[in-house]
Amino acid sequence: MSQKRLQFTTKLGVIATTVGSAVGLGNIWRFPYEAGEGGGGAFIVVYLLVIALIGIPVICAEFVLGRSSRRNIFGAFRHFSPKGKWHYVGYVGILASIMILSFYSVVAGWTMEYIYQSVSGGLDYGTAASFQGQFDEFSHGNWRPLMWTVAFLLCNLLILRRGVQKGVEKMSNIMMPILFVLLVVFCVNSLMMDKAGEGLQFLFNPDFSKVTPQVVIGAMGQAFFSLSIGLGTMMTYASYFSKKTDLRLSATITAVLDTFVAILAAVIIFPAVFSFGESPAQGPALVFEILPAIFSQLPGSAVWSVLFFVLLFIASLTSTISMSEVSIAFLIDEKKMSREKATWLNTGIAIFFGALCALSFGCLGDVKIFGLTIFGLFDYVTSNILLPVGGFFISLYAGWVLDKRIFNRELADGRRSFFAWLMRFCLRWVAPAAILIIFLSQIGVL
Ligand code: PFF
């Protein structure tokens, strides 16, 4: 099996696909709303710490485990520890990947509605308040969100059926650079708004009295979600890397670019939030109310808006493809299913749960579990619980169980390397301890 495995073809292809997985709605939709709810600057400081101390080491661990075993998350653990129970971590990853795919597709479906609205002129000349009304009306109506969720999952299916290499690599190569340029343009535009200073103050002047266990766990969850780690996505992708791929470089570039895009998105959103007199803590709707209002002030608003939502749609696709690959690679490698069958099964399950998530803004709005809607529950449980749990065990495994020589060979060609030492140190001590402490303080033990 290992010889036949597909490989990404170029260096750029590797970076573009891992960045393509990392950059998506997590950066542009979720980061601003989490930062807004977490009090801005304080949230961002914690977030950056988590990226550096836990995020980058865990990406490295996933890369090492994936490339050296050439297997999916479940198979990788079984390969190195056939007798242990480590492969159960694979089940956590697979569960997380299906749950994320379900609610993520709902939001990706919203981007499709917004592309449609921009083309048909429905997003022109509104204020943030009127877009708020428009978003509420759309998301509460049951059929349209449901239809777009299914439509998005079918787009995802079409690309997945063709295999990872052809579809994802090509699309990411073209799309990522255009998205960066567009974000920079919008960023400059936002910085020229009259209350830009207030927005920047909110983002970059941390008020540490706002750091509660809830904020810390939110920032940690966001970091895991944004870097696509803790569930085996980066492990599965690394199983397609060639021996020549520089894992250190790929891990660092992925984390840096991903963080850069998230910060850019926040710098686009918050100056506008304050200039329009809106509240930063509006939850999941935030970006879908503020962005159209920004676009409608620009000359040629519909063009900007179509371009942006099309790119966001593609960025979402490159992310959902990567998370789907976790369960598809598992079904193909371990359950010997055909790619066609595995892809349909993955899509079918996601359509079912995605429909529940989509309707939880409408007719299922009253269904509350632990005080959260179905959508809210999927979002919270995956980012704040399942991914950090996965990350905890991946760190422990790579730091304590995996042969040190394999770790060094993959990260530094077997040579002495400060980077490899530092990563292993973080995986042994810092990441597991930090995740544990954050969990314990969340449940009130510490
Ligand atoms: N990192 C993606 C984003 O920020 O949009 C979301 C994601 C992709 C999460 C892949 C998990 C995953 F496996």
Side-chain angles (χ1 to χ4, degrees):
M1 176 183 65
S2 58
Q3 283 87 352
K4 272 196 299 181
R5 212 169 175 83
L6 284 170
Q7 291 201 343
F8 292 128
T9 44
T10 62
K11 225 183 199 170
L12 180 66
V14 167
I15 304 277
T17 35
T18 51
V19 176
S21 166
V23 172
L25 292 168
N27 309 62
I28 290 162
W29 158 73
R30 200 172 188 282
F31 182 80
Y33 102 66
E34 284 281 328
E37 288 187 333
F43 175 94
I44 292 184
V45 171
V46 181
Y47 179 80
L48 293 177
L49 280 175
V50 175
I51 293 279
L53 297 176
I54 308 178
I56 299 180
V58 174
I59 303 186
C60 287
E62 291 208 18
F63 277 179
V64 164
L65 289 167
R67 187 172 69 177
S68 57
S69 68
R70 297 234 159 278
R71 283 175 175 71
N72 62 82
I73 180 167
F74 185 89
F77 282 115
R78 269 248 290 255
H79 172 76
F80 288 117
S81 297
K83 295 215 186 73
K85 298 261 184 286
W86 287 96
H87 57 273
Y88 286 123
V89 181
Y91 290 125
V92 177
I94 291 162
L95 176 67
S97 77
I98 303 245
M99 287 178 75
I100 296 177
L101 181 62
S102 307
F103 80 84
Y104 201 92
S105 300
V106 174
V107 184
W110 297 348
T111 68
M112 294 171 86
E113 163 80 8
Y114 275 56
I115 296 171
Y116 169 77
Q117 291 292 346
S118 317
V119 173
S120 62
L123 285 187
D124 256 353
Y125 308 116
T127 61
S130 66
F131 286 121
Q132 204 163 347
Q134 209 167 328
F135 179 82
D136 280 349
E137 198 185 312
F138 158 69
S139 61
H140 288 96
N142 298 310
W143 285 109
R144 287 179 80 86
L146 187 62
M147 176 190 85
W148 288 122
T149 305
V150 175
F152 179 81
L153 281 164
L154 293 178
C155 296
N156 189 49
L157 173 95
L158 282 181
I159 297 173
L160 281 167
R161 284 175 62 202
R162 302 179 58 207
V164 182
Q165 191 191 20
K166 280 178 259 164
V168 188
E169 197 177 323
K170 254 192 229 143
M171 208 158 66
S172 307
N173 279 345
I174 308 169
M175 186 281 305
M176 299 306 301
I178 310 181
L179 182 64
F180 284 136
V181 174
L182 202 66
L183 287 174
V184 172
V185 172
F186 291 145
C187 202
V188 172
N189 173 61
S190 282
L191 289 175
M192 293 186 321
M193 292 183 177
D194 43 330
K195 295 229 173 101
E198 262 178 62
L200 296 180
Q201 177 93 0
F202 176 76
L203 280 178
F204 299 117
N205 193 4
D207 170 1
F208 288 109
S209 66
K210 290 197 180 134
V211 179
T212 58
Q214 197 55 41
V215 168
V216 176
I217 204 157
M220 173 171 77
Q222 174 60 25
F224 273 86
F225 185 83
S226 193
L227 292 178
S228 315
I229 53 175
L231 73 169
T233 296
M234 290 300 177
M235 213 183 285
T236 309
Y237 264 11
S239 74
Y240 306 123
F241 289 176
S242 87
K243 282 281 166 236
K244 280 186 263 153
T245 303
D246 183 341
L247 299 185
R248 277 176 293 187
L249 191 73
S250 312
T252 317
I253 293 185
T254 304
V256 169
L257 286 182
D258 186 67
T259 307
F260 181 63
V261 173
I263 303 275
L264 272 184
V267 172
I268 295 171
I269 297 295
F270 287 101
V273 166
F274 287 95
S275 301
F276 298 152
E278 295 289 325
S279 145
Q282 293 187 36
L286 177 71
V287 166
F288 286 87
E289 293 160 5
I290 299 297
L291 280 174
I294 299 180
F295 299 148
S296 70
Q297 292 192 339
L298 293 171
S301 55
V303 179
W304 291 110
S305 166
V306 173
L307 193 60
F308 178 81
F309 284 113
V310 166
L311 287 170
L312 190 53
F313 164 75
I314 297 174
S316 316
L317 262 182
T318 55
S319 297
T320 52
I321 286 161
S322 73
M323 69 186 83
S324 307
E325 202 59 39
V326 172
S327 41
I328 291 174
F330 164 76
L331 291 172
I332 295 175
D333 293 350
E334 310 299 324
K335 301 285 166 210
K336 307 291 169 235
M337 224 179 241
S338 67
R339 184 161 194 98
E340 179 79 14
K341 245 198 195 155
T343 316
W344 273 105
L345 184 59
N346 178 64
T347 305
I349 299 176
I351 287 183
F352 177 76
F353 288 109
L356 296 181
C357 289
L359 295 177
S360 75
F361 287 89
C363 61
L364 296 182
D366 290 335
V367 179
K368 294 270 168 69
I369 306 158
F370 301 120
L372 295 167
T373 61
I374 301 173
F375 178 98
L377 185 79
F378 273 45
D379 185 356
Y380 188 91
V381 166
T382 49
S383 296
N384 294 358
I385 301 175
L386 296 181
L387 302 188
V389 166
F392 177 78
F393 287 110
I394 291 170
S395 307
L396 284 185
Y397 192 84
W400 294 94
V401 184
L402 186 74
D403 188 336
K404 191 176 160 188
R405 282 166 302 184
I406 298 183
F407 193 82
N408 275 349
R409 183 190 72 210
E410 294 295 327
L411 269 194
D413 281 334
R415 271 172 267 155
R416 284 175 77 86
S417 144
F418 174 68
F419 184 85
W421 175 85
L422 186 65
M423 291 301 107
R424 194 151 175 278
F425 178 80
C426 286
L427 290 166
R428 281 166 85 84
W429 302 104
V430 184
I435 297 171
L436 201 63
I437 291 172
I438 294 172
F439 272 140
L440 292 180
S441 62
Q442 162 78 4
I443 52 176
V445 176
L446 283 181

